[in-house]
Amino acid sequence: MKSNFLLLTLLIFISCKAQNTPLYIGTYTDGYSEGIYKLDFNQNTGQLSNLQLAISTQNPSFITYSRNKKYIYAVSESLGGSVSSFKIRENGHLKFLNKVSSNGEGPCHISLNRQGNKAVVSNYRGGSASIYSIARDGKLNDATQIFNYNTDDKVSHAHSAQFFRDELYIADLGINALYQYKLKGDTYELALPTIVEMTENPGPRHFTITKNGLFIYIINEYGNSITSVKKTENGFEQIDYDTTLDKNYEGNNSCADIHLSRNELYLYGSNRGENSIVVFKRNKFNGTIQKIQTVPVHGDWYQETLH
């Protein structure tokens, strides 16, 4: 699962009024890296400066932070798999709070609900996802629910998950599905085994949801594509399917992350191989997208083990 520092690792921007914004970077620590790093990001010039180690921790490959900007949460792809919570100090460095099991090998993604009292972790190698409650002091409690997607004839690779109101969506790259759960009481129950049928092994990896919840955009690692989905009265329907690659690119590629702009007029996806960020303009009325730009990242990626 290891890949380019620029394209796979999550970068966290913490909003503030100052010109320089603290930026946190999760890394793999099998080489020279030591944990989670902090940089100053100049929003006017794009310059990065003042690189510091925010905290030493093993393989924090994906990180996210709480809405109140007081805590950071990181998965660790070390043996056994774990997820940790950290408090952000006044100087921007991190204080370790606690660590719990991810309940599966190779945790690769974590996200929080809007209230900040629940977290969901996706375990790539384990083929499972775990839900956690978060205490008022930012610490993680042990998992309240664990979903295992492996079957006798299918190997799961759960790769990302997101809460949306009383729903939960989980992307499974191995089984080519985007599961939908609905909250019933205190537990999430499976509503749909996949919101749309996916053929030819596209490998749904990450996804983003519009603020009103009517549209979902899924980036496919193997298919080098984005599947656009609309929510209907009877479920979901696919409305678009677009390549992320330039028409002249002929090399190998694996897609990674996807994000909507704040005004939801633009959609961004990352290409590992083409080493680019692809930009789509989005029609806010019907949800379709149109590619308008491919921007090089001026870096390269590497991969030790192919997904």
Side-chain angles (χ1 to χ4, degrees), residues 260-267 280-284:
L260 278 165
S261 62
R262 183 171 294 182
N263 62 10
E264 299 190 337
L265 290 176
Y266 301 96
L267 186 70
F280 294 87
K281 187 173 183 179
R282 176 177 174 268
N283 185 314
K284 292 185 72 170

Side-chain angles (χ1 to χ4, degrees), residues 11-207:
L11 306 182
I12 293 185
F13 297 84
I14 295 186
S15 300
C16 66
K17 294 182 180 180
Q19 186 181 51
N20 282 331
T21 297
L23 180 151
Y24 291 89
I25 305 173
T27 68
Y28 288 101
T29 56
D30 298 337
Y32 297 108
S33 178
E34 298 179 50
I36 299 174
Y37 288 82
K38 174 183 174 291
L39 282 161
D40 291 333
F41 172 65
N42 188 306
Q43 298 186 63
N44 293 330
T45 66
Q47 183 179 7
L48 298 172
S49 62
N50 196 25
L51 177 65
Q52 301 176 50
L53 179 65
I55 195 165
S56 177
T57 184
Q58 192 172 16
N59 287 335
S61 61
F62 197 98
I63 60 179
T64 192
Y65 65 94
S66 61
R67 288 182 61 84
N68 63 13
K69 304 177 181 68
K70 293 182 179 180
Y71 307 102
I72 282 180
Y73 300 89
V75 299
S76 173
E77 294 189 41
S78 303
L79 184 64
S82 63
V83 54
S84 300
S85 61
F86 305 91
K87 184 174 182 179
I88 302 174
R89 300 177 183 269
E90 290 186 6
N91 63 3
H93 287 201
L94 304 181
K95 176 185 177 182
F96 172 77
L97 294 179
N98 78 322
K99 178 172 69 173
V100 295
S101 172
S102 69
N103 302 289
E105 291 287 337
C108 60
H109 187 271
I110 179 171
S111 65
L112 276 58
N113 66 350
R114 187 174 180 83
Q115 295 79 11
N117 59 6
K118 289 184 184 296
V120 57
V121 171
S122 304
N123 296 297
Y124 178 85
R125 285 193 296 273
S128 62
S130 303
I131 299 176
Y132 304 83
S133 63
I134 300 175
R136 290 187 177 181
D137 62 0
K139 292 182 179 178
L140 291 156
N141 295 310
D142 289 331
T144 56
Q145 285 186 270
I146 303 169
F147 307 117
N148 191 324
Y149 301 111
N150 293 295
T151 65
D152 291 338
D153 58 345
K154 293 182 179 180
V155 177
S156 166
H157 292 307
H159 216 309
S160 64
Q162 289 187 49
F163 296 99
F164 182 81
R165 297 174 185 168
D166 62 347
E167 300 172 326
L168 171 65
Y169 296 88
I170 300 175
D172 192 328
L173 184 147
I175 297 181
N176 289 299
L178 184 64
Y179 311 118
Q180 182 200 31
Y181 289 82
K182 291 188 177 180
L183 186 62
K184 301 290 181 66
D186 294 328
T187 61
Y188 285 90
E189 297 181 3
L190 185 65
L192 287 173
T194 186
I195 63 171
V196 291
E197 292 298 324
M198 297 186 179
T199 60
E200 299 182 4
N201 191 32
R205 179 186 174 105
H206 285 193
F207 59 95

